[in-house]
Amino acid sequence: MKKLLFPLAILGMFFFASCGGDGSDEEPTDDGPTAEEKEKEAKIATIPTDRVALYIKSSGTNCPPCGAWGWNVHGAVIEEAGAFISPFTIHSANFVSKDFINEEGNKLDGDLGVSGWPTFITNKGLNGKLEKEPLNGGSTEASLKAQYLGAIEAVVAEEAKAGSAVKWSVSGNEITVDVRTTFFEDVPEGEYYIAVWVDENLVQAPQAGYTAGTPYHKHVLRTALDGHSVYGVPLNKDGGAIEKGSLFETTHTGEFPEGAWDVNNTTVTALVWTVTGTLTKAYGVMNTSQATFE
């Protein structure tokens, strides 16, 4: 029996050695995401996926309706819409303006053809086209508020295609903003831009039509960064398609007069724009965000 078992043991050793080989044909093991991939995922995780509407009141401090029914409607919409909007009050060099006039207000009023004040503006549809809200002769404060809130609700009900988050600081009369932008789905070839707007809330200044003293103006648009660029700078400089999960990290700077603007009442908003047209450009807001990251 011993003589029989020994050769069998040798044969078994040969069999297992031959079948096992040297391991060169084994499938590689999946070690999971790389450190770089994990870092990218962590950055994208700081970006909200909700859609937030852009809501604007074009106003004038010498405009009596702006300080009466326009003031009441604007305040009510901001309060009730809450985190579902990025709100702004803009001022252009028009016949009812005195305070807060800047290049950004001139650009927006000019591009949108605003010729009466107050005018309320929201973005519409998936591509976020900015449009003036109509003002009917028989409108009441309640009906206007319901109209604007309805427009906002229609925007936030849609799934966002893109989103952003910001980190910002002020030093030496300059504001620096880092922005992370990602896309939640594939988007076709086209022009996609990122803009950064800075507003100051509760700025005290006279207002025609306001009868309870000198009011505090809400979310006054102070500046757009990158040289006062309302529509920002391109994300895909080659105009190519953008894949879902792409991450863009950009840095933006602009003037911030610390003695004149209150940094503690400042909000920074990132806006993802789509741009269409060749000779005549049309701009639409895909999403806005005031979310911050550390």
Side-chain angles (χ1 to χ4, degrees), residues 142-182:
S143 65
L144 288 172
K145 182 185 75 170
Q147 175 187 336
Y148 305 155
L149 288 173
I152 291 164
E153 186 175 6
V155 171
V156 301
E158 298 168 340
E159 291 188 3
K161 292 184 178 181
S164 299
V166 304
K167 179 175 72 173
W168 61 277
S169 61
V170 173
S171 178
N173 294 321
E174 182 178 78
I175 185 169
T176 301
V177 182
D178 295 320
V179 183
R180 294 171 179 169
T181 304
T182 192

Short mmCIF file of all heavy atoms in Angstrom, two decimals, residues 142-182:
data_model
loop_
_atom_site.label_atom_id
_atom_site.label_comp_id
_atom_site.label_asym_id
_atom_site.label_seq_id
_atom_site.Cartn_x
_atom_site.Cartn_y
_atom_site.Cartn_z
N ALA A 142 -51.46 90.47 -4.89
CA ALA A 142 -51.62 89.04 -4.66
C ALA A 142 -51.50 88.25 -5.95
O ALA A 142 -50.86 87.19 -5.99
CB ALA A 142 -52.97 88.77 -3.99
N SER A 143 -52.10 88.77 -7.03
CA SER A 143 -52.05 88.03 -8.29
C SER A 143 -50.66 88.06 -8.90
O SER A 143 -50.21 87.07 -9.50
CB SER A 143 -53.07 88.61 -9.28
OG SER A 143 -52.75 89.93 -9.64
N LEU A 144 -49.95 89.17 -8.74
CA LEU A 144 -48.58 89.25 -9.26
C LEU A 144 -47.66 88.30 -8.48
O LEU A 144 -46.84 87.59 -9.07
CB LEU A 144 -48.06 90.68 -9.17
CG LEU A 144 -48.67 91.67 -10.16
CD1 LEU A 144 -48.22 93.08 -9.83
CD2 LEU A 144 -48.32 91.30 -11.59
N LYS A 145 -47.81 88.30 -7.17
CA LYS A 145 -47.00 87.38 -6.36
C LYS A 145 -47.26 85.93 -6.79
O LYS A 145 -46.31 85.15 -6.97
CB LYS A 145 -47.33 87.55 -4.88
CG LYS A 145 -46.50 86.66 -3.96
CD LYS A 145 -46.96 86.77 -2.51
CE LYS A 145 -48.25 86.01 -2.29
NZ LYS A 145 -48.61 85.90 -0.86
N ALA A 146 -48.52 85.57 -6.97
CA ALA A 146 -48.85 84.21 -7.40
C ALA A 146 -48.28 83.91 -8.78
O ALA A 146 -47.81 82.79 -9.04
CB ALA A 146 -50.37 84.03 -7.41
N GLN A 147 -48.30 84.89 -9.67
CA GLN A 147 -47.75 84.71 -11.01
C GLN A 147 -46.25 84.42 -10.97
O GLN A 147 -45.77 83.49 -11.61
CB GLN A 147 -48.01 85.97 -11.84
CG GLN A 147 -47.39 85.95 -13.23
CD GLN A 147 -47.54 87.29 -13.93
OE1 GLN A 147 -48.43 88.06 -13.61
NE2 GLN A 147 -46.66 87.57 -14.86
N TYR A 148 -45.52 85.21 -10.22
CA TYR A 148 -44.07 85.06 -10.15
C TYR A 148 -43.68 83.77 -9.43
O TYR A 148 -42.75 83.07 -9.85
CB TYR A 148 -43.43 86.27 -9.48
CG TYR A 148 -43.80 87.58 -10.11
CD1 TYR A 148 -43.75 88.77 -9.38
CD2 TYR A 148 -44.23 87.67 -11.43
CE1 TYR A 148 -44.10 89.99 -9.94
CE2 TYR A 148 -44.59 88.88 -12.02
CZ TYR A 148 -44.53 90.03 -11.26
OH TYR A 148 -44.89 91.24 -11.82
N LEU A 149 -44.41 83.45 -8.37
CA LEU A 149 -44.12 82.19 -7.67
C LEU A 149 -44.44 80.99 -8.56
O LEU A 149 -43.74 79.97 -8.51
CB LEU A 149 -44.94 82.13 -6.37
CG LEU A 149 -44.49 83.06 -5.24
CD1 LEU A 149 -45.48 83.00 -4.09
CD2 LEU A 149 -43.09 82.69 -4.75
N GLY A 150 -45.47 81.11 -9.38
CA GLY A 150 -45.80 80.04 -10.31
C GLY A 150 -44.69 79.82 -11.34
O GLY A 150 -44.35 78.68 -11.69
N ALA A 151 -44.12 80.93 -11.84
CA ALA A 151 -43.02 80.83 -12.80
C ALA A 151 -41.80 80.18 -12.15
O ALA A 151 -41.12 79.34 -12.76
CB ALA A 151 -42.67 82.21 -13.33
N ILE A 152 -41.54 80.53 -10.91
CA ILE A 152 -40.42 79.95 -10.17
C ILE A 152 -40.65 78.46 -9.94
O ILE A 152 -39.75 77.63 -10.11
CB ILE A 152 -40.22 80.70 -8.85
CG1 ILE A 152 -39.71 82.11 -9.12
CG2 ILE A 152 -39.29 79.94 -7.92
CD1 ILE A 152 -39.85 83.06 -7.94
N GLU A 153 -41.86 78.11 -9.55
CA GLU A 153 -42.19 76.71 -9.29
C GLU A 153 -42.00 75.85 -10.54
O GLU A 153 -41.53 74.71 -10.46
CB GLU A 153 -43.63 76.60 -8.79
CG GLU A 153 -44.01 75.19 -8.35
CD GLU A 153 -45.40 75.12 -7.76
OE1 GLU A 153 -46.11 76.15 -7.77
OE2 GLU A 153 -45.77 74.05 -7.26
N ALA A 154 -42.34 76.39 -11.71
CA ALA A 154 -42.17 75.64 -12.95
C ALA A 154 -40.70 75.36 -13.23
O ALA A 154 -40.35 74.30 -13.77
CB ALA A 154 -42.78 76.42 -14.12
N VAL A 155 -39.83 76.28 -12.87
CA VAL A 155 -38.39 76.09 -13.08
C VAL A 155 -37.84 75.02 -12.15
O VAL A 155 -37.15 74.08 -12.57
CB VAL A 155 -37.62 77.41 -12.88
CG1 VAL A 155 -36.11 77.17 -12.89
CG2 VAL A 155 -37.99 78.41 -13.97
N VAL A 156 -38.13 75.13 -10.86
CA VAL A 156 -37.53 74.22 -9.89
C VAL A 156 -38.13 72.81 -9.98
O VAL A 156 -37.55 71.86 -9.44
CB VAL A 156 -37.66 74.77 -8.46
CG1 VAL A 156 -36.98 76.13 -8.35
CG2 VAL A 156 -39.11 74.88 -8.03
N ALA A 157 -39.26 72.67 -10.66
CA ALA A 157 -39.86 71.34 -10.82
C ALA A 157 -39.08 70.49 -11.82
O ALA A 157 -39.22 69.26 -11.83
CB ALA A 157 -41.31 71.47 -11.26
N GLU A 158 -38.27 71.13 -12.66
CA GLU A 158 -37.51 70.41 -13.67
C GLU A 158 -36.18 69.94 -13.10
O GLU A 158 -35.59 70.60 -12.24
CB GLU A 158 -37.27 71.30 -14.88
CG GLU A 158 -38.55 71.75 -15.57
CD GLU A 158 -38.31 72.85 -16.58
OE1 GLU A 158 -37.26 73.52 -16.50
OE2 GLU A 158 -39.17 73.04 -17.46
N GLU A 159 -35.70 68.82 -13.59
CA GLU A 159 -34.41 68.31 -13.14
C GLU A 159 -33.28 69.18 -13.69
O GLU A 159 -33.30 69.58 -14.85
CB GLU A 159 -34.22 66.86 -13.59
CG GLU A 159 -35.13 65.87 -12.89
CD GLU A 159 -34.78 64.44 -13.21
OE1 GLU A 159 -33.79 64.22 -13.95
OE2 GLU A 159 -35.48 63.52 -12.73
N ALA A 160 -32.31 69.43 -12.85
CA ALA A 160 -31.18 70.26 -13.26
C ALA A 160 -30.23 69.47 -14.16
O ALA A 160 -29.97 68.29 -13.92
CB ALA A 160 -30.43 70.76 -12.04
N LYS A 161 -29.72 70.12 -15.19
CA LYS A 161 -28.72 69.52 -16.06
C LYS A 161 -27.30 69.79 -15.56
O LYS A 161 -26.37 69.08 -15.91
CB LYS A 161 -28.86 70.05 -17.48
CG LYS A 161 -30.14 69.64 -18.21
CD LYS A 161 -30.12 70.15 -19.64
CE LYS A 161 -31.35 69.70 -20.40
NZ LYS A 161 -31.32 70.19 -21.81
N ALA A 162 -27.16 70.85 -14.77
CA ALA A 162 -25.85 71.23 -14.27
C ALA A 162 -26.00 71.90 -12.92
O ALA A 162 -27.11 72.32 -12.54
CB ALA A 162 -25.16 72.18 -15.25
N GLY A 163 -24.91 72.01 -12.19
CA GLY A 163 -24.95 72.65 -10.89
C GLY A 163 -23.58 73.15 -10.49
O GLY A 163 -22.56 72.76 -11.08
N SER A 164 -23.55 74.02 -9.47
CA SER A 164 -22.29 74.62 -9.03
C SER A 164 -22.29 74.80 -7.52
O SER A 164 -23.33 74.72 -6.86
CB SER A 164 -22.07 75.99 -9.69
OG SER A 164 -21.99 75.89 -11.08
N ALA A 165 -21.11 75.07 -6.99
CA ALA A 165 -20.93 75.48 -5.61
C ALA A 165 -19.74 76.43 -5.57
O ALA A 165 -18.87 76.38 -6.45
CB ALA A 165 -20.71 74.29 -4.68
N VAL A 166 -19.70 77.31 -4.55
CA VAL A 166 -18.68 78.35 -4.52
C VAL A 166 -17.94 78.37 -3.19
O VAL A 166 -18.45 77.92 -2.16
CB VAL A 166 -19.30 79.75 -4.77
CG1 VAL A 166 -20.05 79.77 -6.09
CG2 VAL A 166 -20.24 80.16 -3.62
N LYS A 167 -16.74 78.92 -3.23
CA LYS A 167 -15.98 79.28 -2.03
C LYS A 167 -15.39 80.65 -2.30
O LYS A 167 -14.76 80.87 -3.34
CB LYS A 167 -14.87 78.26 -1.74
CG LYS A 167 -14.04 78.60 -0.51
CD LYS A 167 -13.03 77.51 -0.19
CE LYS A 167 -11.90 77.48 -1.18
NZ LYS A 167 -10.82 76.54 -0.78
N TRP A 168 -15.60 81.60 -1.37
CA TRP A 168 -15.16 82.96 -1.68
C TRP A 168 -14.55 83.65 -0.46
O TRP A 168 -14.78 83.26 0.68
CB TRP A 168 -16.32 83.78 -2.23
CG TRP A 168 -17.51 83.96 -1.32
CD1 TRP A 168 -18.54 83.08 -1.14
CD2 TRP A 168 -17.78 85.07 -0.47
NE1 TRP A 168 -19.44 83.59 -0.24
CE2 TRP A 168 -19.02 84.82 0.18
CE3 TRP A 168 -17.13 86.28 -0.22
CZ2 TRP A 168 -19.59 85.71 1.09
CZ3 TRP A 168 -17.69 87.18 0.68
CH2 TRP A 168 -18.91 86.89 1.32
N SER A 169 -13.75 84.67 -0.77
CA SER A 169 -13.12 85.46 0.29
C SER A 169 -12.87 86.87 -0.24
O SER A 169 -12.78 87.09 -1.46
CB SER A 169 -11.81 84.82 0.74
OG SER A 169 -10.90 84.73 -0.34
N VAL A 170 -12.76 87.82 0.68
CA VAL A 170 -12.50 89.20 0.33
C VAL A 170 -11.24 89.66 1.05
O VAL A 170 -11.07 89.44 2.25
CB VAL A 170 -13.69 90.11 0.72
CG1 VAL A 170 -13.34 91.57 0.51
CG2 VAL A 170 -14.94 89.73 -0.07
N SER A 171 -10.35 90.31 0.29
CA SER A 171 -9.12 90.84 0.87
C SER A 171 -8.59 91.97 0.01
O SER A 171 -8.54 91.83 -1.23
CB SER A 171 -8.06 89.73 0.99
OG SER A 171 -6.85 90.24 1.52
N GLY A 172 -8.23 93.08 0.65
CA GLY A 172 -7.65 94.18 -0.11
C GLY A 172 -8.55 94.73 -1.19
O GLY A 172 -8.10 95.03 -2.30
N ASN A 173 -9.85 94.84 -0.88
CA ASN A 173 -10.83 95.38 -1.83
C ASN A 173 -10.99 94.52 -3.08
O ASN A 173 -11.42 95.01 -4.13
CB ASN A 173 -10.49 96.82 -2.24
CG ASN A 173 -10.59 97.79 -1.08
OD1 ASN A 173 -11.50 97.69 -0.26
ND2 ASN A 173 -9.66 98.72 -0.99
N GLU A 174 -10.66 93.24 -2.96
CA GLU A 174 -10.87 92.31 -4.07
C GLU A 174 -11.55 91.05 -3.56
O GLU A 174 -11.24 90.56 -2.47
CB GLU A 174 -9.53 91.94 -4.73
CG GLU A 174 -9.70 91.01 -5.93
CD GLU A 174 -8.38 90.68 -6.61
OE1 GLU A 174 -7.63 89.83 -6.10
OE2 GLU A 174 -8.11 91.28 -7.68
N ILE A 175 -12.50 90.55 -4.34
CA ILE A 175 -13.16 89.30 -4.00
C ILE A 175 -12.65 88.20 -4.93
O ILE A 175 -12.48 88.43 -6.13
CB ILE A 175 -14.70 89.42 -4.10
CG1 ILE A 175 -15.37 88.12 -3.63
CG2 ILE A 175 -15.17 89.83 -5.48
CD1 ILE A 175 -16.87 88.25 -3.44
N THR A 176 -12.37 87.04 -4.35
CA THR A 176 -11.91 85.88 -5.11
C THR A 176 -12.90 84.74 -4.88
O THR A 176 -13.23 84.43 -3.73
CB THR A 176 -10.50 85.44 -4.66
OG1 THR A 176 -9.59 86.54 -4.86
CG2 THR A 176 -10.04 84.24 -5.47
N VAL A 177 -13.36 84.15 -5.95
CA VAL A 177 -14.36 83.09 -5.86
C VAL A 177 -13.88 81.86 -6.63
O VAL A 177 -13.58 81.95 -7.82
CB VAL A 177 -15.72 83.55 -6.44
CG1 VAL A 177 -16.76 82.45 -6.28
CG2 VAL A 177 -16.20 84.83 -5.74
N ASP A 178 -13.81 80.74 -5.93
CA ASP A 178 -13.56 79.45 -6.58
C ASP A 178 -14.90 78.77 -6.82
O ASP A 178 -15.75 78.74 -5.93
CB ASP A 178 -12.68 78.56 -5.70
CG ASP A 178 -11.28 79.13 -5.51
OD1 ASP A 178 -10.73 79.65 -6.49
OD2 ASP A 178 -10.76 79.06 -4.39
N VAL A 179 -15.08 78.23 -8.00
CA VAL A 179 -16.35 77.60 -8.37
C VAL A 179 -16.10 76.19 -8.87
O VAL A 179 -15.19 75.94 -9.66
CB VAL A 179 -17.08 78.40 -9.47
CG1 VAL A 179 -18.43 77.77 -9.78
CG2 VAL A 179 -17.26 79.86 -9.07
N ARG A 180 -16.93 75.28 -8.38
CA ARG A 180 -16.97 73.91 -8.90
C ARG A 180 -18.28 73.75 -9.68
O ARG A 180 -19.35 74.07 -9.16
CB ARG A 180 -16.93 72.88 -7.77
CG ARG A 180 -15.63 72.85 -6.99
CD ARG A 180 -15.74 71.96 -5.76
NE ARG A 180 -14.50 71.91 -5.01
CZ ARG A 180 -14.37 71.38 -3.79
NH1 ARG A 180 -15.46 70.87 -3.19
NH2 ARG A 180 -13.21 71.36 -3.18
N THR A 181 -18.17 73.27 -10.89
CA THR A 181 -19.35 73.08 -11.74
C THR A 181 -19.33 71.68 -12.31
O THR A 181 -18.29 71.21 -12.79
CB THR A 181 -19.38 74.09 -12.89
OG1 THR A 181 -19.33 75.42 -12.36
CG2 THR A 181 -20.65 73.94 -13.72
N THR A 182 -20.46 71.00 -12.26
CA THR A 182 -20.56 69.68 -12.86
C THR A 182 -21.85 69.58 -13.67
O THR A 182 -22.75 70.42 -13.54
CB THR A 182 -20.53 68.56 -11.80
OG1 THR A 182 -20.36 67.30 -12.44
CG2 THR A 182 -21.82 68.52 -10.98
#
